[in-house]
Amino acid sequence: MLSARKIPRACQSCRLQLLSLFENGFTNCVPANTARARYSSTQFQTRPRTLPYRQTASRAFSTTRIRAKEPKVDQPKAVGGIDAGIEAVVMQARQTFGETLPKDYLSAEEYVIYERLYGPPLRETKPEDLEYLPEGEEKVDPDKVRNVLLRQNDQGEYEEVEFDPELGYSVMEEEMPSEETDEMYLGNEQVLAEDEALAGELEQVEEGENIVEDYDEGVLVSEDVDENAIRVQGRNQREIDAIARLQLDMDAALAQPLEEEEEEMDEEYEEDEEEMEEDEEEEDDGVWISSDAVRTHPHTMTGRSGTYPTTLTFPKETFLAPISELLARANTKHITETAERVFGGKGLPYSASVPASKKMLPQKNIGLDAMQHKMSEIEADAYLAAVMPGTFASITNTLVEVRKRLGPQWVRDLIFREGGEGPRVLDAGGAGAGVIAWREILQAEWDVMRDEGLVEGEQVPHGKTSVLTGSSALRHRISRFLEDTTFLPRLPEYMPGPSTTPHLDRNLNQPRKSYDIIIAPHTLFPLKEDFRRKNMVQNLWSLLDPNGGVLIIIEKGLPRGFEAIAGARSLLLDTHISSPGETAFENEIQSPNSEKARFTKKEEGMIIAPCTNHLKCPMYPVPGFSSGRKDFCHFPQRFIRPDYLQKVLGAKIRNHEDAKFSYIAVRRGVDARKTSPNPLQGEEATLQSLVGYEAYDLPESGVEIDTEPSDVKFEPLNLPRIILPSLKRRGHVTLDLCTPSGKLERWTVPRSFSKAAYRDARKSSWGDLWALGAKTRTFRSPRLGRGGEEGGKIKGIRDGKMGKGGKKMKKKHFDMIMGKEGVAEIKEAGIAGRLVKREKRTKGGRIWKEPKPLGEDD
């Protein structure tokens, strides 16, 4: 049983809410003080009943009985001497219209009080500020109205109990014994006092209902006078008039012709349909245009390098999942200890990437090499965890750049090779990371061709792949996730002579295998001797397909790694790749080819990236080691670290890493510069790049541009490359470039030069090709360190003999003493000649003096 008297433990607000339900009933309940007035243009079916405003004062705890309040004669009407009637009107206007106010609603005196209490209104009240009921209030069917209370049963569930308001305030299905009723009310004086107060309030409520009924009758009579009049709901006649004026404004706004609105809606609908059709056409064509591509110049998009997005995420199925499964067998603590022992301690500075905090350490190669034959089980796990991610990131960046410069047709020709053989790939140093990166490039191109309808099937044919692994422990792990792969323990020996030369036993050499792509990361840095590095480069070159094979050599982004790459570049340009004016080279006397001819003709070939010229590298003018080198060619690639690498490094702040590397990509047997539409080379190409290709050789588009026809053709292979991060300043951008003329230059692109060039220069990245020109051009001398510039003079050192620490040594002057038979003695001149060394001092520490020569008197 549920009643209002049996909830003494309920909070005061809940008890008052329940009592109000008993007072007003459970149907047609409308709050007395609505915040905003409502109006309707239709006739009310039922009118809400509102009670007059009663201000109830809370009474503090007291032991005395409640008495009727007597009116206080001395109490002022309102605070501050304001008339209570005016203040009530102002408060009612604020409650009805909120922070707005209708025009001419308050008098001058009332408006002054309004501003004093609430400040000036925000604006004039508009029709849309009020609640509009277009269909009137809902009809109430008295037959369907149910008065229901909820009662909790023994199981703790609530069930509905019908309530009849005529029976009183409590509903009891079962009569309670009088003893329980007496016990319930014993000692509860507060409840009894509330009952007495409630009885008094009920009498006031009945009087208020009679007043409201009289007021409703008056309103209904006024409604019967004019059925077409505007019917509104307000607290007084002033509110009714104000709301009626707002209603007229609303009707005038709604009375506008609907034809204009329908025409506007039709036009918007047609525009939306056209946009949807354009989007569908773009989707059907398989071309998605981003906002950056719309604002960026097309030549700038062509010159961009690196992956998209710039932060590389490793493929889960082919890289992360299999390696994580292999490393799960070993303890992470053991892998971490082994990696720190092999790769130089915390941060792993001797792995594929060097952290910024370890740059001052001695520059060393990677601690573990894929070609070494001895490697323990835990060292193989450390290699997979610490070296493979950085190697994969650098190889992916390089392959993406090669594919951009050679075009998609190069990859498609390898896939559709005659006989269905597919591409032949050799990973010489990446331990399978190069093969995985190449397969990702193949799969991306295959998906594009499948969308174009050229091929069918989900999986691309991988062709023949070979991986160079010397250790059996590493080979067994890599074979778990590399299928259809041949593993080689070492590279075949390099034979400088032709394969047709017979041996002493009259047997001929076996024909060497050839590969379309050879990826050789971290193979030259471990070799300290220069002749061993040359032998490795020539061996890799001999394994290339002479009809378009691509060789990619990658090293760590350090000065020592760059010197290895620059040495390989010089060797290939001097002895293998022909350039304009240099089609042959002179053989050495010890070379077997010198017996046949003095000069050997070079092969056709080209440098794909990063160089755009075949001249001497401006950062490597003198071969060999250079201490203190500051400028060297290298590029970054950011990647998201795998979970196992995060655990090995113990990193908790960031989960990404920048792998910096130096590389060179060359092609054998094909020179794209000869078939290029732009024959400019050297300084001519640099001057044209300085002017820019912004208005030349634009791709075909639907927008007509008034440009004069020109013979200038755009060619990415003739553009300068950004070799350092761009310097972005207010109003201009400074770019450090390696130009096609083989020089380091600094170009400035101000806002006044070109709006498109300035915008693209601010968006340019390290390693991009720049095609939109510049306003100013200055030459930049590279910082090569000691012994790194021709002529023997080093930047920052005066002329003269260099001493310890790079300081200039003073010249020593000597005096020659001539005797009868010639030069008798040579001594240092000046003060230095009178000073003696420590061993020439006497036992007491005095300066040792020379004995006087014997004279005639002695």
Side-chain angles (χ1 to χ4, degrees):
M1 180 180 65
L2 182 65
S3 64
R5 299 178 182 273
K6 293 189 67 177
I7 50 173
R9 295 183 180 181
C11 62
Q12 188 69 16
S13 61
C14 296
R15 186 160 57 249
L16 291 177
Q17 184 177 3
L18 185 60
L19 291 175
S20 65
L21 290 176
F22 287 132
E23 294 175 8
N24 301 328
F26 291 85
T27 59
N28 302 335
C29 297
V30 178
N33 50 348
T34 56
R36 305 172 73 179
R38 298 178 299 174
Y39 64 98
S40 173
S41 59
T42 58
Q43 184 178 359
F44 288 120
Q45 300 294 336
T46 58
R47 294 195 51 84
R49 301 178 60 185
T50 57
L51 297 178
Y53 176 75
R54 286 188 298 104
Q55 184 176 1
T56 59
S58 59
R59 180 175 180 270
F61 176 78
S62 176
T63 56
T64 58
R65 299 185 63 181
I66 301 176
R67 298 180 180 179
K69 294 184 180 181
E70 298 179 358
K72 297 181 180 181
V73 182
D74 299 337
Q75 185 177 2
K77 294 183 179 180
V79 180
I82 302 175
D83 189 4
I86 299 177
E87 185 179 4
V89 172
V90 171
M91 294 176 62
Q92 185 63 37
R94 178 73 175 187
Q95 186 178 12
T96 303
F97 302 104
E99 297 181 353
T100 62
L101 193 66
K103 185 179 181 179
D104 301 333
Y105 181 77
L106 299 177
S107 61
E109 184 179 1
E110 293 172 349
Y111 187 78
V112 171
I113 298 174
Y114 184 92
E115 284 190 343
R116 184 187 304 175
L117 294 177
Y118 309 108
L122 295 180
R123 54 180 173 81
E124 185 179 345
T125 305
K126 298 180 180 180
E128 54 267 20
D129 293 335
L130 303 179
E131 297 180 1
Y132 176 60
L133 305 176
E135 297 181 0
E137 296 185 355
E138 298 180 357
K139 299 180 180 180
V140 179
D141 190 359
D143 298 336
K144 297 182 180 180
V145 174
R146 297 177 59 202
N147 297 323
V148 178
L149 292 178
L150 298 178
R151 181 180 64 179
Q152 188 175 8
N153 54 18
D154 298 337
Q155 289 77 16
E157 299 178 354
Y158 290 93
E159 57 183 3
E160 295 181 356
V161 177
E162 295 288 343
F163 167 71
D164 189 0
E166 298 178 359
L167 299 179
Y169 298 105
S170 62
V171 178
M172 299 182 182
E173 292 185 356
E174 299 179 359
E175 296 181 359
M176 295 180 61
S178 59
E179 298 177 358
E180 297 181 3
T181 306
D182 296 338
E183 292 177 359
M184 181 176 64
Y185 290 109
L186 286 177
N188 198 353
E189 296 180 358
Q190 183 178 358
V191 176
L192 294 175
E194 291 178 357
D195 292 344
E196 294 177 1
L198 182 62
E201 290 178 358
L202 288 176
E203 295 177 359
Q204 298 178 4
V205 168
E206 291 177 357
E207 295 177 0
E209 289 180 354
N210 296 333
I211 296 173
V212 172
E213 288 178 359
D214 297 340
Y215 175 78
D216 293 343
E217 290 177 0
V219 172
L220 292 175
V221 170
S222 63
E223 289 178 356
D224 294 339
V225 174
D226 188 2
E227 295 181 357
N228 298 327
I230 299 174
R231 299 166 179 82
V232 297
Q233 176 183 351
R235 297 179 182 273
N236 49 49
Q237 188 62 33
R238 183 184 297 186
E239 287 187 6
I240 294 175
D241 296 341
I243 296 173
R245 288 194 298 269
L246 294 175
Q247 171 66 20
L248 295 176
D249 297 340
M250 176 63 72
D251 293 342
L254 294 177
Q256 294 180 354
L258 299 178
E259 296 180 358
E260 298 179 358
E261 296 183 0
E262 291 180 356
E263 291 179 358
E264 294 178 358
M265 293 178 63
D266 293 340
E267 292 178 358
E268 294 178 358
Y269 181 73
E270 291 176 359
E271 293 178 357
D272 294 340
E273 280 190 346
E274 292 177 359
E275 293 178 358
M276 293 176 62
E277 290 177 359
E278 292 178 358
D279 295 340
E280 291 177 357
E281 290 178 359
E282 292 180 358
E283 293 178 358
D284 294 340
D285 297 339
V287 179
W288 179 80
I289 302 175
S290 62
S291 59
D292 183 62
V294 172
R295 299 183 61 188
T296 306
H297 196 276
H299 293 337
T300 304
M301 295 293 296
T302 305
R304 285 185 175 177
S305 66
T307 60
Y308 183 81
T310 55
T311 302
L312 179 65
T313 304
F314 296 108
K316 185 176 181 180
E317 297 181 357
T318 59
F319 190 86
L320 292 180
I323 295 180
S324 300
E325 184 179 355
L326 290 172
L327 297 179
R329 303 178 300 178
N331 191 352
T332 305
K333 182 179 179 181
H334 296 168
I335 298 176
T336 304
E337 293 176 353
T338 304
E340 292 179 354
R341 173 178 56 84
V342 175
F343 301 119
K346 294 288 186 180
L348 310 180
Y350 300 148
S351 62
S353 59
V354 181
S357 59
K358 306 292 183 179
K359 285 184 177 181
M360 302 306 296
L361 294 178
Q363 301 176 26
K364 295 183 180 180
N365 57 294
I366 296 177
L368 293 177
D369 190 2
M371 292 185 289
Q372 69 184 48
H373 295 280
K374 293 183 179 180
M375 187 182 295
S376 62
E377 300 289 336
I378 194 66
E379 288 178 347
D381 291 336
Y383 184 90
L384 292 178
V387 180
M388 287 279 283
T391 305
F392 178 86
S394 58
I395 293 175
T396 302
N397 183 291
T398 307
L399 287 175
V400 169
E401 179 66 14
V402 171
R403 189 263 176 195
K404 285 184 177 180
R405 300 301 151 239
L406 297 182
Q409 192 61 35
W410 168 66
V411 182
R412 299 184 181 186
D413 292 341
L414 292 178
I415 296 176
F416 300 114
R417 183 191 299 274
E418 295 181 2
E421 185 181 3
R424 299 163 296 179
V425 183
L426 173 63
D427 185 356
V435 173
I436 299 174
W438 169 249
R439 289 181 178 180
E440 291 295 324
I441 299 294
L442 277 183
Q443 187 63 43
E445 192 65 32
W446 183 266
D447 294 340
V448 173
M449 291 190 297
R450 187 183 59 208
D451 295 340
E452 295 176 356
L454 301 177
V455 295
E456 296 180 357
E458 297 292 334
Q459 194 67 27
V460 60
H462 296 153
K464 295 182 179 181
T465 55
S466 301
V467 177
L468 186 62
T469 51
S471 171
S472 59
L474 184 61
R475 181 169 60 253
H476 292 329
R477 283 163 172 74
I478 298 173
S479 62
R480 297 285 298 272
F481 56 88
L482 279 184
E483 300 178 354
D484 302 332
T485 303
T486 303
F487 293 92
L488 305 176
R490 60 180 177 83
L491 283 176
E493 294 292 339
Y494 171 62
M495 302 298 295
S499 60
T500 57
T501 303
H503 291 272
L504 295 177
D505 55 358
R506 298 182 180 180
N507 291 328
L508 299 178
N509 294 329
Q510 291 285 342
R512 295 175 64 85
K513 294 183 178 179
S514 61
Y515 297 92
D516 299 315
I517 301 175
I518 297 179
I519 305 170
H522 313 300
T523 56
L524 302 180
F525 197 0
L527 306 177
K528 302 304 180 183
E529 296 82 2
D530 188 57
F531 73 91
R532 297 183 61 187
R533 292 183 178 180
K534 291 182 178 180
N535 189 32
M536 174 65 72
V537 174
Q538 290 176 346
N539 195 4
L540 295 173
W541 179 264
S542 64
L543 293 174
L544 269 183
D545 184 8
N547 298 321
V550 175
L551 172 62
I552 300 174
I553 304 176
I554 304 173
E555 291 296 338
K556 295 175 64 175
L558 300 172
R560 303 291 83 80
F562 161 72
E563 290 169 359
I565 295 295
R569 178 184 182 274
S570 301
L571 176 63
L572 293 175
L573 290 177
D574 293 340
T575 60
H576 295 286
I577 300 177
S578 63
S579 301
E582 297 181 4
T583 58
F585 68 97
E586 186 176 3
N587 297 319
E588 298 179 358
I589 299 177
Q590 297 86 356
S591 175
N593 296 329
S594 63
E595 300 178 359
K596 297 182 179 180
R598 180 180 176 183
F599 295 94
T600 301
K601 187 178 180 180
K602 296 181 182 180
E603 304 179 50
E604 287 190 358
M606 60 174 294
I607 298 179
I608 304 172
C611 309
T612 57
N613 61 80
H614 286 191
L615 304 175
K616 181 178 290 187
C617 179
M619 301 185 191
Y620 194 70
V622 178
F625 174 83
S626 177
S627 177
R629 184 188 297 272
K630 299 298 182 182
D631 288 336
F632 56 97
C633 184
H634 65 293
F635 305 95
Q637 175 58 55
R638 175 166 293 184
F639 63 91
I640 302 297
R641 291 175 183 157
D643 294 339
Y644 50 82
L645 181 57
Q646 282 282 95
K647 296 177 182 177
V648 170
L649 293 173
K652 298 181 180 179
I653 299 178
R654 60 189 180 98
N655 66 337
H656 62 83
E657 185 176 335
D658 293 330
K660 295 183 178 180
F661 59 95
S662 299
Y663 77 99
I664 184 172
V666 296
R667 194 176 189 185
R668 182 182 182 184
V670 177
D671 190 359
R673 298 174 301 170
K674 294 183 178 180
T675 59
S676 172
N678 187 358
L680 299 179
Q681 295 291 332
E683 187 65 22
E684 296 180 356
T686 303
L687 294 176
Q688 181 59 45
S689 300
L690 182 64
V691 175
Y693 294 89
E694 182 177 351
Y696 298 103
D697 198 13
L698 297 176
E700 297 181 359
S701 60
V703 182
E704 296 182 358
I705 302 177
D706 297 336
T707 57
E708 298 179 359
S710 176
D711 297 336
V712 178
K713 300 297 182 181
F714 173 72
E715 177 56 50
L717 296 176
N718 298 335
L719 297 177
R721 186 178 295 274
I722 303 174
I723 58 174
L724 288 174
S726 305
L727 301 177
K728 303 173 185 178
R729 299 294 182 263
R730 184 174 182 180
H732 70 277
V733 181
T734 303
L735 305 176
D736 291 299
L737 304 171
C738 181
T739 61
S741 57
K743 299 177 183 179
L744 298 184
E745 299 180 7
R746 176 166 285 184
W747 292 5
T748 303
V749 184
R751 184 184 286 110
S752 59
F753 175 71
S754 171
K755 183 178 180 181
Y758 176 73
R759 187 262 175 193
D760 292 353
R762 298 191 69 87
K763 299 297 181 180
S764 61
S765 301
W766 184 359
D768 292 351
L769 297 174
W770 182 244
L772 300 187
K775 188 174 184 179
T776 61
R777 168 194 183 189
T778 57
F779 295 96
R780 181 176 179 271
S781 59
R783 298 167 295 176
L784 304 177
R786 301 175 187 172
E789 188 170 337
E790 296 183 56
K793 183 179 177 181
I794 303 172
K795 185 178 181 181
I797 304 298
R798 296 188 182 96
D799 294 334
K801 187 177 180 181
M802 182 180 64
K804 187 177 180 180
K807 297 181 180 180
K808 182 181 178 182
M809 294 181 64
K810 294 182 179 180
K811 297 180 180 180
K812 294 182 178 181
H813 299 274
F814 295 88
D815 294 336
M816 300 178 63
I817 301 175
M818 303 298 294
K820 296 180 180 180
E821 299 179 356
V823 179
E825 190 178 0
I826 299 176
K827 294 183 179 180
E828 292 188 30
I831 300 176
R834 296 194 298 267
L835 298 177
V836 295
K837 300 180 181 179
R838 291 183 180 180
E839 60 268 19
K840 294 295 182 180
R841 289 181 177 269
T842 61
K843 188 175 181 180
R846 296 181 180 181
I847 299 175
W848 179 80
K849 295 183 180 180
E850 297 180 0
K852 294 181 179 180
L854 294 176
E856 297 178 356
D857 298 337
D858 295 336

